[in-house]
Amino acid sequence: MPTYTSRTLLIALSAAAVATGLTGATATAATSASAPASTASRALTWRPCAVSGGPAGQECADLSVPLDYAAPAGRQVTVAVTRVRSDRPEARRGTLLVVPGGPGGSGVQEVGQSGNALLKEMAGAYDIVSLDPRGVGGSTKASCELPASQRYLVNLRSWPAPDGSIKEDVATSRAVAEACGRHGGPVLDSFTTDNEARDIDRFRQALGEEKLSAYGVSYGTYVTAVYAQKYPQHTDRLVLDSSGDPDPTRVERGWLANMSRAAADRFPDFAAWAADPARESEGLRLAQRPQDVEPLFLDVAAKLDRAPRETTTEGVPLTGNVLRQVLQNDLYSDDSFPQLAALIKAAQDPKDKPVLPGFVAQPMPDEDAAVVVAVLCNDVRWPGSVASYERAVAADRARYPLTGGMAADITPCAFWKHAPAAKPTRITAEGPSNVLMVQNLRDPATPYFGALKMREALGDRARLVTVDHGGHGAYLGDGGGDACADRAVTGFLTTGSRPSRDASCPATVAAR
């Protein structure tokens, strides 16, 4: 996959707007959960949907699935699906499902953007398939009818005021939850990880496959793990790239809480880059020493708290929290460091007019905002006490000043209309030993300490390859990725070779 940003969407209320789906309307047929594969395969009517720069043979279709799996014969909704067939049928061994990140990531778009790189690595071993989860791209969507002001990432994601107050965040979170309750309806209520796993199994049946291999990234690792827990007999080889803690009492709530420490662990990579003398000629050197970069950043953010700067985007100023949001996003990839440094430089220069990245300059489309919020709130119950969030924010701001208390702040989930329909799936060690995890040590979104919880939960089902690198997404990552990690993942998917025990890169990965 060519770059990080084309491959992985941001996790836990940091997803940028996903592009419009590649699929259009077509006739579909419903498939019962127990339908034989030979019957289910007739449910898909494939049509060409290749995009510029993507796999030439990409096809798309629409799959009907139950709105509510408790009433499978009732109302159906559409899930957009895609495939690229192996160009070497003699080498084909199965089907590889790409499970997008998010919530809010489009698998159809992902295959269009990144499929060629994955096809090259797989050397014909798989048909590559994916789907748009409910609410995304070409799949059935829902709307909360949120005003544009509530759909800017820095507002949709709760950032405390400069003095630590969360009063405005409470009001916004309540308003978003109430709007989603009024307008989202049963479709919005159906946006859950468990339903995505069920939809994946319907897709498997429609493809006529007994088993699926899968490559999940970020939030997609959790979806893949849930699928493997629910349908272990239908799994082949599974790769989890950049995993979160699967604690079923917290899930997304825990992922968000982990982000403050994760950003602090990752920031030294940016600081070393920004203090490197090589930045001088680029006009991006922020300090003479790496240890001076964090105080500088905090000072610039504090000044913007007091006096926001006009930007090239009319009506959208650069505030301290906008700068903190850009930091959070740009720590995902070394390729984004120049963008972050340039914004800090512009904020320091009173003669400059800062240019905001698109993900903070424009509001998210309403339907995209709806699915991001809904999955987080539908999956697990969140605390409702405002006082508990106030206490948590105060402690988090003091310990992790870079993220200003955001990771502990209140969200619309505190006021969500409907309780989760079921408890989140508990990931356990019961099942085939067919999982390879790959994880960067300094991941700002799904931190290593959280991934270790996933590793612990899976027990002997998994092996973990640890990569001494920063950023989010280890396999085929930005700058060419890590050769050791790439060899481990590609080798496992194509040959079944997997470390006999947990391993580290750049150490040699010994195949069992």
Side-chain angles (χ1 to χ4, degrees):
M1 295 146 187
T3 65
Y4 161 72
T5 52
S6 70
R7 183 164 67 91
T8 311
L9 294 180
L10 310 185
I11 195 173
L13 277 180
S14 65
V18 295
T20 301
L22 302 177
T23 57
T26 189
T28 58
T31 307
S32 94
S34 59
S38 59
T39 301
S41 64
R42 292 198 293 269
L44 297 177
T45 302
W46 295 102
R47 62 193 180 279
C49 62
V51 295
S52 177
Q58 184 172 3
E59 298 176 292
C60 293
D62 293 334
L63 175 69
S64 289
V65 297
L67 172 66
D68 181 358
Y69 277 92
R75 179 181 172 184
Q76 304 291 296
V77 294
T78 297
V79 171
V81 299
T82 191
R83 73 177 179 187
V84 181
R85 294 184 178 183
S86 166
D87 58 359
R88 295 171 54 188
E90 72 283 358
R92 184 186 181 277
R93 65 168 307 275
T95 296
L96 177 65
L97 174 75
V98 176
V99 187
S106 165
V108 175
Q109 180 187 16
E110 181 69 15
V111 171
Q113 292 178 332
S114 311
N116 281 332
L118 193 55
L119 286 167
K120 181 179 178 181
E121 290 292 316
M122 296 301 103
Y126 295 96
D127 294 344
I128 308 297
V129 304
S130 193
L131 75 164
D132 285 348
R134 302 180 188 206
V136 177
S139 296
T140 297
K141 296 183 178 181
S143 170
C144 291
E145 298 188 19
L146 302 178
S149 62
Q150 291 178 352
R151 290 187 273 110
Y152 283 91
L153 187 54
V154 75
N155 296 332
L156 187 65
R157 192 171 190 177
S158 298
W159 287 90
D163 63 357
S165 168
I166 67 169
K167 183 178 180 179
E168 290 187 14
D169 297 329
V170 170
T172 298
S173 293
R174 190 189 303 274
V176 169
E178 290 176 350
C180 291
R182 285 194 303 271
H183 304 295
V187 172
L188 190 78
D189 292 342
S190 79
F191 295 168
T192 67
T193 298
D194 274 6
N195 273 341
E196 184 172 346
R198 295 182 183 102
D199 293 347
I200 286 172
D201 203 59
R202 282 297 182 95
F203 186 26
R204 176 194 62 78
Q205 295 173 46
L207 290 168
E209 296 287 348
E210 181 62 28
K211 294 186 177 184
L212 291 175
S213 291
Y215 165 53
V217 185
S218 190
Y219 166 68
T221 64
Y222 178 62
V223 176
T224 303
V226 169
Y227 181 79
Q229 196 69 42
K230 285 180 169 294
Y231 306 100
Q233 72 277 21
H234 295 306
T235 63
D236 188 6
R237 298 170 184 170
L238 309 178
V239 173
L240 309 185
D241 182 350
S242 306
S243 301
D245 182 352
D247 179 356
T249 67
R250 290 166 61 82
V251 196
E252 287 96 337
R253 183 161 63 92
W255 303 341
L256 182 60
N258 285 346
M259 281 183 150
S260 50
R261 176 180 163 188
D265 289 347
R266 168 64 163 156
F267 190 84
D269 290 338
F270 172 70
W273 179 91
D276 191 317
R279 304 284 86 76
E280 204 74 64
S281 63
E282 303 165 357
L284 296 176
R285 194 176 188 192
L286 298 181
Q288 300 298 305
R289 304 179 304 167
Q291 59 265 39
D292 295 330
V293 176
E294 181 172 342
L296 179 148
F297 176 86
L298 294 174
D299 180 65
V300 171
K303 289 178 179 176
L304 291 169
D305 285 336
R306 297 189 294 270
R309 292 282 305 279
E310 183 182 354
T311 70
T312 57
T313 303
E314 185 176 356
V316 185
L318 175 59
T319 65
N321 280 339
V322 168
L323 183 65
R324 295 180 185 100
Q325 182 65 71
V326 174
L327 168 71
Q328 175 64 32
N329 285 47
D330 285 355
L331 289 178
Y332 278 58
S333 168
D334 290 5
D335 285 353
S336 297
F337 286 177
Q339 175 176 263
L340 175 59
L343 188 61
I344 294 170
K345 280 283 191 180
Q348 291 177 296
D349 185 351
K351 298 179 181 179
D352 202 349
K353 181 175 282 190
V355 179
L356 297 177
F359 59 82
V360 290
Q362 303 296 330
M364 293 174 66
D366 183 57
E367 291 170 329
D368 294 347
V371 68
V372 172
V373 174
V375 175
L376 305 189
C377 301
N378 287 336
D379 268 5
V380 68
R381 186 184 298 276
W382 293 58
S385 165
V386 172
S388 70
Y389 290 102
E390 291 173 333
R391 291 190 296 269
V393 164
D396 204 62
R397 281 168 57 85
R399 189 171 185 183
Y400 302 109
L402 286 170
T403 44
M406 170 276 299
D409 204 351
I410 200 164
T411 72
C413 304
F415 307 104
W416 206 241
K417 182 178 180 181
H418 300 295
K423 292 181 179 180
T425 298
R426 179 179 293 276
I427 307 304
T428 75
E430 297 177 7
S433 183
N434 62 353
V435 180
L436 179 68
M437 296 177 60
V438 60
Q439 187 79 27
N440 287 332
L441 273 175
R442 299 177 302 283
D443 185 321
T446 52
Y448 189 71
F449 59 86
L452 291 178
K453 297 292 187 180
M454 177 71 85
R455 174 68 185 89
E456 180 182 4
L458 288 168
D460 196 52
R461 296 174 70 184
R463 302 291 184 271
L464 170 64
V465 174
T466 299
V467 185
D468 188 1
H469 194 273
H472 187 52
Y475 180 51
L476 301 179
D478 54 61
D482 180 273
C484 164
D486 291 353
R487 285 194 302 270
V489 173
T490 297
F492 172 60
L493 287 174
T494 57
T495 72
S497 174
R498 193 180 67 160
S500 58
R501 59 184 61 87
D502 291 354
S504 298
C505 288
T508 302
V509 180
R512 73 178 174 190

